[in-house]
Amino acid sequence: MTHNTSSLRFPTRLYDAYIFDMDGTIYLGDHLLPGVKRTIQELRKRGIPVRYLSNNPTKDPQQYVEKLQRLGLPTDISEIANTVVTMTRWLKEHHPGAVVFPIAEEPLINAFRNAGIKMSEDPAEIDIVVASYDRTFDYRKLQIAFDAIWFHKRAFLVATNPDRYCPFPGGRGEPDCAAIIAAIEACTGAKVQMIAGKPNPVMLNEAINGLDVDPTQCMMVGDRLGTDIQMAVRTGMYSAMPLTGDSTLEEAEALDPSDQPTFMIDRLDRLIPKQLWQEMGWTEED
């Protein structure tokens, strides 16, 4: 897809660290997006930290490491932060003794189990219902959540992420966590009290944990205005939105300037300032 380059905004310098969304930013399905590999390689060559974020709780960090490595991007598990990590840590920190009912797939359930979080399907003893992107969601799970929250009036609702759908190559997608949240809210009258994923700044804090960097001198790169870019706005971080995923240039331009991405780029290698391309031997055709 071509874009009117006069509407795009490209960085003119490098930043202290780069935090990347994955789906729609680094890859789509099992294919790297244009300009990704040489961008990541160049940042690493310059010693600039790279971190990856995802709202998807159906994979654990090791699975993301393996996927990125298959796509030719060597990655350490410490460079991955997703909602499996942030939800587990949030529960341990804020509700260490709670009994949890996870509406979730195996990666999140396994993370809870490994962290010593007590889980139950008995509505009479559930303290927290955790909604997530769960392709095994059914009426039985909805009934348990309903009984725990509405009938027993003891549980409250939290969620891993607010995404309406997960994008697929070719423009398709499938319902994501927002659909699970909506079903539970509709029948119980309750409202979700905390969402651990983007745009909650806890995700960015998790990503840069251990790096000696000023968050306001870092760059968040992601394709979704409501999650990736909004999270950067909330933390005062620079942001770049590649037009390779969910949100469009027109949607970004329709926002108040304070909510817009700092930069809008047609492909990921625009993150590297154009004045450095000649030094690296890059061309537009690469």
Side-chain angles (χ1 to χ4, degrees):
M1 183 182 295
T2 59
H3 301 277
N4 179 0
T5 55
S6 65
S7 298
L8 301 176
R9 300 194 292 266
F10 302 148
T12 57
R13 69 174 179 91
L14 293 170
Y15 292 81
D16 292 353
Y18 288 77
I19 301 93
F20 293 96
D21 171 57
M22 288 184 275
D23 294 301
T25 299
I26 295 293
Y27 54 72
L28 201 55
D30 291 318
H31 300 282
L32 285 181
L33 287 162
V36 167
K37 190 168 186 178
R38 69 178 184 177
T39 302
I40 302 299
Q41 288 175 337
E42 186 61 30
L43 293 174
R44 292 197 184 281
K45 189 164 69 175
R46 292 173 179 269
I48 298 174
V50 169
R51 295 291 184 269
Y52 297 101
L53 291 185
S54 176
N55 267 1
N56 189 337
T58 68
K59 294 183 176 68
D60 61 35
Q62 183 58 40
Q63 288 173 292
Y64 280 111
V65 167
E66 292 166 2
K67 178 166 187 173
L68 290 168
Q69 289 177 338
R70 281 198 310 273
L71 294 175
L73 299 176
T75 305
D76 188 83
I77 197 166
S78 65
E79 296 173 328
I80 305 287
N82 77 328
T83 47
V84 169
V85 175
T86 54
M87 179 55 79
T88 302
R89 290 189 178 171
W90 183 83
L91 287 169
K92 289 291 287 183
E93 180 178 349
H94 295 281
H95 300 278
V99 177
V100 169
F101 173 52
I103 299 175
E105 297 186 16
E106 282 304 311
L108 188 61
I109 292 170
N110 289 338
F112 287 175
R113 184 179 297 117
N114 293 337
I117 294 170
K118 186 177 180 183
M119 292 174 282
S120 175
E121 293 191 347
D122 180 355
E125 63 180 27
I126 295 167
D127 300 308
I128 304 174
V129 174
V130 179
S132 77
Y133 175 17
D134 180 6
R135 292 162 294 185
T136 68
F137 182 60
D138 58 12
Y139 200 85
R140 184 187 69 86
K141 293 182 179 182
L142 182 59
Q143 183 71 62
I144 294 170
F146 176 81
D147 287 343
I149 296 170
W150 184 85
F151 180 69
H152 290 285
K153 294 183 170 47
R154 60 173 288 135
F156 63 92
L157 177 64
V158 300
T160 52
N161 59 296
D163 302 79
R164 294 181 296 111
Y165 67 93
C166 181
F168 288 169
R172 286 191 67 247
E174 65 183 11
D176 205 322
C177 186
I180 314 293
I181 296 169
I184 297 168
E185 288 184 337
C187 65
T188 63
K191 294 295 182 185
V192 65
Q193 294 194 18
M194 195 282 300
I195 299 178
K198 300 175 287 185
N200 191 332
V202 70
M203 287 288 285
L204 275 180
N205 295 333
E206 187 66 42
I208 63 174
N209 184 34
L211 294 178
D212 186 20
V213 293
D214 178 350
T216 64
Q217 296 304 310
C218 298
M219 172 81 78
M220 175 68 214
V221 186
D223 67 297
R224 290 192 170 192
L225 289 165
T227 54
D228 304 311
I229 305 307
Q230 186 55 225
M231 182 174 59
V233 168
R234 291 182 185 184
T235 56
M237 190 177 284
Y238 289 91
S239 62
M241 189 181 84
L243 302 176
T244 51
D246 183 55
S247 297
T248 67
L249 184 63
E250 294 72 24
E251 288 169 340
E253 291 179 328
L255 293 175
D256 184 275
S258 63
D259 289 321
Q260 291 183 11
T262 318
F263 306 104
M264 289 182 277
I265 57 180
D266 53 345
R267 45 186 284 157
L268 210 71
D269 45 13
R270 305 289 189 193
L271 291 174
I272 307 298
K274 195 63 179 289
Q275 62 266 29
L276 298 177
W277 280 36
Q278 185 173 5
E279 169 191 326
M280 299 176 298
W282 288 8
T283 67
E284 295 279 354
E285 287 71 35
D286 290 345

